[in-house]
Amino acid sequence: MSPLLLRGAPLALLLATASALAVTPISEGVPVDPAAAAKLIISRDRSAPNACDLQLRVDQQLVVALPAGESVTLDVPSGERTLMLTPSREGFCAEINLASNQSILLQPGEVRRYQAVYEEQKLFLAPQP
């Protein structure tokens, strides 16, 4: 999986797969101060329809494509963040007009887990324990 990243994004990106762990900072981004950072862990249901990857945006910046069964861990600045989830805009998936937006407030050092759910023409991020 090759993440689509925007230049100058103030997020540090950590991608995790079942078999490997790799650190990929966003190109020329502003480093996230570890003392003020929070962590977002977004996973995708393995039983979800997998014809379309989902695209995750944080603060309107495209961070990563999320295929079925994959997860991503993001170090982000604490504070108010906007999360947006959409199907990828490639091939058949370009015809699907769904989006999920939500605003969250993160404290420094906080870890939040969400599962990206795509079912019955609905798309949303469900909080996980």
Side-chain angles (χ1 to χ4, degrees):
M1 170 172 62
S2 65
L4 299 173
L5 306 173
L6 294 179
R7 177 179 274 200
L11 302 173
L13 179 63
L14 177 68
L15 294 176
T17 64
S19 61
L21 187 65
V23 177
T24 309
I26 291 180
S27 173
E28 297 181 25
V30 177
V32 176
D33 177 2
K39 197 170 292 280
L40 284 176
I41 302 170
I42 313 286
S43 61
R44 180 141 176 227
D45 185 0
R46 290 187 186 283
S47 63
N50 61 8
C52 299
D53 288 349
L54 297 179
Q55 294 180 336
L56 175 66
R57 294 178 187 270
V58 177
D59 295 336
Q60 299 181 5
Q61 297 173 17
L62 182 59
V63 176
V64 67
L66 190 58
E70 296 290 323
S71 67
V72 63
T73 299
L74 304 169
D75 289 322
V76 299
S78 57
E80 187 174 353
R81 299 284 151 244
T82 302
L83 305 178
M84 181 178 195
L85 198 59
T86 60
S88 75
R89 299 293 178 211
E90 298 175 2
F92 163 78
C93 303
E95 309 263 329
I96 301 171
N97 192 21
L98 291 176
S100 171
N101 284 303
Q102 70 188 77
S103 180
I104 60 173
L105 183 60
L106 297 168
Q107 301 299 317
E110 184 176 8
V111 177
R112 292 259 188 104
R113 290 174 173 79
Y114 292 92
Q115 183 170 25
V117 179
Y118 176 52
E119 61 182 32
E120 299 181 25
Q121 298 302 313
K122 295 178 187 168
L123 182 62
F124 56 95
L125 287 168
Q128 300 295 296

